[in-house]
Amino acid sequence: MLQQGWIVKAGLEEVSEDAPLSGKGQGRPLVAKAQRRELEAVLAGGTPLALVMVRVAGFSLFERLYGATLASRVVEELERVLQEEIGRLSPQGQVLILERLEGASFMALFPNGVHGLADLFDMALRLRLSVRNKLNHQVMKLTGQCLRIEAGCSFLPADTGRNFESLLHFALDDAHQAARGSLDPSKLGLMHQFRQILEVPLLASVYQPILDLRRGEILGWEALARGPEDSYFSSPQMLFDFAEEVGNIFTLERVCREQALAGLGGVGQGQKLFLNIHPQTLGDPSFRPGQTLNLLERYGLSPHNVVFEITERHPIKDFTLFHRTLEHYRSQGYLVAIDDVGTGYSGLSSLAKVRPDFIKVDMSLIRGIDTNPVQRALLETMVTFANKIGCAIVAEGIETQTELTSIVAMGVHYGQGFHLAKPQAPKPQICLPVSLLSPGQRRGGQELTCSMPVRELVEPALQVLPETPTKNVKRILDSQPIGGVVVAQDDRPLGLVMSHSLDRLLGAYYGTSLYWERNVTRVMDPVPLIVEGSLPVEQVAGTAMSRERFKIYDHIIVTDNGRLMGIVSVQKMLDALARVQVEMARGMSPLTGLPGNVALEQEIERLCRQESPVSLIYADLDNFKVYNDSYGFESGDQIILLMARVMSWALRRHGEPDDFLGHLGGDDMVAITTPERAERVCQAVVRCFKRLVGACYTSEDRRNGFVMGKDRAGRPGRFPLVSVSLAIVDSLGPCQIGDISKRAAEVKRWAKSIPGNVYVRDRRSPLAGDEAMAPEQVA
């Protein structure tokens, strides 16, 4: 007797069901005569046949909506995927027939002498998940929608003496009828393997860095789950598809979060861990508020270090519950990112409702953006949109250098992709390539404005002890015209409570019940921005403005050797910078954005008056005139910009935070750093400039190693590629600016007399010093 078949279903809702399968047409056989004989011989030999049917549900409606051409492409892709997957999944890889039925329906037949129904059922599920994943990857690009895939299975019993065509029709009808049933996980052999993965657990986490494209530093890492190698669940796509199928997505995500936190290791101040969250997980009763918080405390993290990354590929069914739960977590300090933007369900209306801190643009919009003007226009619009609503764009899937340079030029805030780093464990540490750094960098990436110490802007701070009840702090903030209070113990700042943050916490669901009677440490920001009063205003302002969006306008706590001096508001710093910037803007180089002659002279004069030793690095380009004459002024400007980027990067990488870089004009630049770091900075400049400058030449000139041209006297000849000469002059104490200029001119002439990329250091008696040596050459 023919045994009943099982079928597995998943996907989006469909509007209508296809008619029951009845073959290629009325009265026509399901398989050709020659193939039927081969199949009948297998049955006659005592071996049953296994039948697997795969179909696209609602395909007739799909064809009416999107047209016959697109429907044909879907059928062709489905057949290609089936040929690949069925041979891999079937016993011994032996498939006797793969036949197309009506619409987008296929059946496969193969001998099945030893495998039972559970094995066949497992195979059908694996096949459906594999086909759905691969087919919908293509269909999503074409239509923005996912197809629903059905995969059924049944047996044709051996040696029954019944008509073969009749057996085959009955088997297909059984599978079609079973399609209206539901999946029973208890019958699924894969469940044992899946449960073991969760219980041991057998999951691993890898981490892919997300890079700040403006500062060249790591913002954080996205944690990605990996199943056991050489298993069906090694692919995260299969792992999560199966979990969603059997209703265990919440449990799987909980285990993934635990593994991600356990393997992360330490993070720097302000760095983030991006955790992928299914939209329905936020409504899961087991996703309790305290559960994640306890995990974070165990590993030395806080909610400010965590970004919940919610994918657009899954619909938000109960938006009211989702929004209320999301706001609760936001009130605790967690951040929110919307993932896969541009490929899923939400659209602009959902973005407006969720108000994410980060918008992660899907790689389908990033791949090839360097050559696709439509994609560029879309991304530029999204950057403008993000800037206006106060969030940041993360470009995913960056895989080439030209894609990276394109999105940097468009002002994208953050980037992620294989070109920067592949997911790894332990988490990789990287920095932005030197050629992409903005030339107008100083003091950790901020443009020069002024050197006023931040202590000059300090205002008195209202302090409270850590055991002060939250209700008392609320009354203080309501009764006085202040924006926040500092939580301190023995004049040592421990945290900050801003009025607007406290109102958000108390206004959240159960906020008053949770915090009103508790001490203030429960509601304070435990990692506020704390700076020493000696730091320059522009450095503090830059650090303040690079904080999380909801903390940008929080007060800055100023200390003197760790003891509380007071607070400074962001607005007061910006007002001070604006006043100084107007005066200094005239001295900025229009090409590089670096401080010009006026600012450079002021900085050198200031250093000449101080007691601490400094080193001045004078940079000049060799053979630059010939390059300008041969390639044009625009290309010459690119060489100067390259030099500015290289020197800026070298100071950031090997110098001190308050190092200075100025542009005297033309191809002359000056960097100021400490004596012990000067040579390391020069070594980096010489090495990197030599490696990168070749890209500014044609392939022929680069191979030759020279260009034909004329020198300043008009004499023709061969001239080497542009190189850099660096001269280091040390000042060990107060001196005259004229002495520095004279000494620098002498050392620079010595450096330019040496061929190639070199730096030299003046080893004669340092200015304001006693030691005497000759200049030293280093190639």
Side-chain angles (χ1 to χ4, degrees):
M1 181 176 179
L2 184 64
Q3 302 186 56
Q4 179 68 37
W6 281 261
I7 192 158
V8 185
K9 306 191 305 179
L12 294 177
E13 297 178 2
E14 63 171 327
V15 179
S16 64
E17 293 288 342
D18 290 342
L21 294 169
S22 58
K24 298 177 181 179
Q26 293 296 330
R28 295 184 182 180
L30 288 169
V31 296
K33 187 175 181 179
Q35 294 172 322
R36 187 177 71 243
R37 289 174 180 170
E38 183 180 0
L39 296 171
E40 288 174 338
V42 173
L43 294 176
T47 301
L49 291 175
L51 180 149
V52 176
M53 179 198 70
V54 177
R55 65 197 295 259
V56 176
F59 184 73
S60 58
L61 176 61
F62 178 88
E63 186 173 21
R64 291 197 299 271
L65 289 174
Y66 294 102
T69 301
L70 186 56
S72 296
R73 292 180 61 182
V74 169
V75 172
E76 291 171 2
E77 182 66 16
L78 174 59
E79 184 172 13
R80 186 192 67 79
V81 172
L82 283 173
Q83 288 173 344
E84 176 183 313
E85 293 296 318
I86 288 182
R88 182 174 63 86
L89 293 174
S90 63
Q92 291 81 45
Q94 183 182 7
V95 179
L96 296 181
I97 182 174
L98 173 64
E99 186 78 7
R100 181 184 175 187
L101 306 173
E102 293 180 336
S105 301
F106 289 83
M107 72 171 178
L109 289 164
F110 50 85
N112 196 68
V114 295
H115 292 80
L117 288 174
D119 297 321
L120 194 57
F121 188 74
D122 276 357
M123 177 189 164
L125 175 62
R126 295 180 189 214
L127 182 61
R128 187 194 60 75
L129 292 177
S130 299
V131 171
R132 186 183 72 174
N133 183 29
K134 293 187 176 183
L135 184 63
N136 278 333
H137 180 71
Q138 301 298 325
V139 175
M140 176 70 78
K141 293 180 181 180
L142 299 172
T143 67
Q145 298 294 324
C146 288
L147 295 172
R148 189 177 109 183
I149 308 299
E150 296 178 351
C153 57
S154 62
F155 284 129
L156 279 73
D159 197 23
T160 61
R162 297 173 61 184
N163 178 269
F164 175 78
E165 283 290 327
S166 176
L167 286 177
L168 194 53
H169 276 284
F170 277 125
L172 286 171
D173 286 342
D174 286 344
H176 181 76
Q177 292 300 321
R180 303 183 186 278
S182 60
L183 175 65
D184 184 2
S186 65
K187 297 179 181 178
L188 199 59
L190 287 174
M191 278 300 295
H192 175 72
Q193 184 181 351
F194 180 74
R195 290 193 184 106
Q196 187 179 28
I197 288 174
L198 299 185
E199 291 168 3
V200 174
L202 298 176
L203 292 172
S205 287
V206 293
Y207 305 89
Q208 187 170 35
I210 299 172
L211 202 64
D212 187 329
L213 300 180
R214 299 158 298 178
R215 301 171 62 85
E217 301 166 352
I218 289 181
L219 166 71
W221 294 266
E222 179 180 357
L224 301 168
R226 295 291 185 266
E229 294 185 6
D230 302 323
S231 77
Y232 174 74
F233 294 111
S234 60
S235 163
Q237 182 71 44
M238 291 302 179
L239 187 66
F240 280 90
D241 281 353
F242 184 86
E244 192 171 357
E245 183 74 40
V246 299
N248 269 340
I249 189 69
F250 302 148
T251 305
L252 174 60
E253 286 199 347
R254 175 181 55 78
V255 176
C256 288
R257 287 195 299 273
E258 293 172 354
Q259 295 299 100
L261 290 167
L264 178 64
V267 298
Q269 184 174 357
Q271 288 185 324
K272 315 294 180 191
L273 174 64
F274 286 68
L275 294 173
N276 289 281
I277 301 291
H278 193 291
Q280 297 176 21
T281 300
L282 291 177
D284 177 25
S286 65
F287 192 58
R288 297 186 301 273
Q291 188 182 68
T292 304
L293 194 59
N294 292 337
L295 275 174
L296 294 178
E297 292 175 353
R298 186 191 310 170
Y299 296 108
L301 301 175
S302 73
H304 301 287
N305 298 117
V306 174
V307 181
F308 287 148
E309 190 169 313
I310 303 166
T311 179
E312 263 204 332
R313 295 185 187 273
H314 301 284
I316 300 172
K317 296 181 179 179
D318 186 350
F319 202 94
T320 301
L321 174 62
F322 172 81
H323 183 72
R324 186 170 68 237
T325 309
L326 195 61
E327 285 305 306
H328 171 73
Y329 284 102
R330 269 209 173 103
S331 70
Q332 293 184 331
Y334 296 98
L335 301 178
V336 176
I338 296 293
D339 192 18
D340 301 318
V341 171
T343 63
Y345 294 91
S346 61
L348 295 179
S349 61
S350 295
L351 288 176
K353 292 176 182 176
V354 174
R355 296 179 290 107
D357 301 283
F358 301 94
I359 296 175
K360 300 194 74 177
V361 180
D362 187 74
M363 68 179 299
S364 60
L365 290 179
I366 303 301
R367 296 305 311 275
I369 197 167
D370 49 310
T371 58
N372 190 316
V374 176
Q375 289 177 218
R376 291 178 66 91
L378 281 172
L379 188 57
E380 287 170 351
T381 301
M382 294 181 75
V383 171
T384 302
F385 170 73
N387 289 334
K388 287 186 176 182
I389 67 172
C391 70
I393 294 290
V394 180
E396 296 185 293
I398 303 170
E399 296 195 2
T400 67
Q401 178 73 9
T402 51
E403 289 171 0
L404 179 59
T405 54
S406 296
I407 66 172
V408 169
M410 284 184 276
V412 174
H413 310 97
Y414 302 102
Q416 176 181 2
F418 279 16
H419 180 69
L420 299 173
K422 294 183 179 181
Q424 300 172 37
K427 62 182 185 294
Q429 301 285 348
I430 61 170
C431 61
L432 192 67
V434 58
S435 58
L436 288 175
L437 288 176
S438 170
Q441 299 285 324
R442 177 186 186 265
R443 295 190 169 106
Q446 305 306 314
E447 292 184 359
L448 175 70
T449 49
C450 71
S451 300
M452 178 195 305
V454 72
R455 68 163 66 92
E456 296 185 17
L457 302 179
V458 165
E459 298 175 345
L462 184 61
Q463 302 181 46
V464 297
L465 294 171
E467 60 267 20
T468 305
T470 298
K471 61 182 179 181
N472 292 358
V473 176
K474 172 63 175 170
R475 289 164 184 156
I476 292 171
L477 291 171
D478 288 346
S479 64
Q480 300 190 41
I482 56 175
V485 299
V486 177
V487 182
Q489 184 85 54
D490 300 326
D491 282 337
R492 301 284 179 177
L494 304 176
L496 177 71
V497 181
M498 294 298 295
S499 178
H500 62 86
S501 298
L502 182 59
D503 289 342
R504 186 178 69 246
L505 276 174
L506 296 177
Y509 201 58
Y510 297 130
T512 303
S513 302
L514 286 171
Y515 303 116
W516 189 252
E517 298 292 340
R518 303 284 186 91
N519 65 49
V520 70
T521 57
R522 291 280 184 166
V523 296
M524 74 179 186
D525 176 7
V527 285
L529 179 56
I530 303 176
V531 300
E532 280 291 301
S534 59
L535 288 178
V537 171
E538 73 275 8
Q539 181 179 347
V540 177
T543 304
M545 298 308 290
S546 66
R547 294 179 291 181
E548 295 93 345
R549 176 170 57 91
F550 66 91
K551 292 174 64 173
I552 282 181
Y553 291 103
D554 285 5
H555 292 336
I556 296 95
I557 299 175
V558 183
T559 60
D560 183 10
N561 292 322
R563 304 188 73 85
L564 181 65
M565 290 181 65
I567 58 172
V568 173
S569 69
V570 171
Q571 189 60 54
K572 190 168 185 178
M573 283 195 304
L574 294 179
D575 289 343
L577 290 174
R579 290 193 300 270
V580 177
Q581 204 166 28
V582 170
E583 299 175 5
M584 302 203 51
R586 291 174 297 176
M588 304 298 284
S589 165
L591 174 60
T592 62
L594 293 172
N597 282 324
V598 174
L600 182 57
E601 289 178 6
Q602 291 177 354
E603 187 72 8
I604 293 177
E605 287 177 356
R606 183 182 69 82
L607 295 171
C608 287
R609 294 192 299 269
Q610 69 182 23
E611 296 291 337
S612 57
V614 295
S615 292
L616 291 86
I617 303 172
Y618 286 79
D620 192 11
L621 295 177
D622 309 314
N623 305 308
F624 180 66
K625 178 185 179 300
V626 175
Y627 180 86
N628 238 356
D629 293 343
S630 301
Y631 283 83
F633 290 106
E634 184 175 347
S635 296
D637 287 347
Q638 294 304 311
I639 290 272
I640 295 174
L641 282 171
L642 173 63
M643 185 62 206
R645 293 188 179 106
V646 170
M647 293 193 69
S648 176
W649 167 80
L651 286 174
R652 286 164 53 86
R653 184 73 178 270
H654 302 291
E656 297 285 357
D658 59 348
D659 286 349
F660 178 95
L661 178 61
H663 187 182
L664 286 171
D667 58 332
D668 293 313
M669 297 178 194
V670 178
I672 303 176
T673 185
T674 57
E676 62 271 15
R677 294 183 179 269
E679 290 195 26
R680 188 69 189 89
V681 169
C682 289
Q683 289 169 3
V685 171
V686 167
R687 184 181 67 251
C688 292
F689 186 82
K690 181 179 180 180
R691 186 177 73 247
L692 296 172
V693 75
C696 300
Y697 287 84
T698 64
S699 57
E700 181 181 357
D701 287 345
R702 192 161 54 245
R703 282 194 306 271
N704 293 335
F706 64 84
V707 294
M708 300 300 298
K710 296 181 180 180
D711 62 15
R712 295 185 182 277
R715 295 186 294 266
R718 294 181 175 182
F719 294 87
L721 305 185
V722 173
S723 58
V724 60
S725 294
L726 302 172
I728 306 174
V729 176
D730 300 313
S731 171
L732 301 185
C735 58
Q736 299 295 319
I737 190 171
D739 295 337
I740 292 179
S741 300
K742 180 181 178 182
R743 183 71 63 89
E746 295 171 354
V747 180
K748 191 165 67 170
R749 280 197 299 271
W750 170 247
K752 290 182 71 65
S753 69
I754 304 168
N757 295 276
V758 300
Y759 72 87
V760 300
R761 189 167 200 161
D762 188 8
R763 296 296 184 178
R764 296 171 294 181
S765 58
L767 297 170
D770 302 323
E771 190 177 355
M773 292 181 69
E776 180 182 51
Q777 165 194 347
V778 185

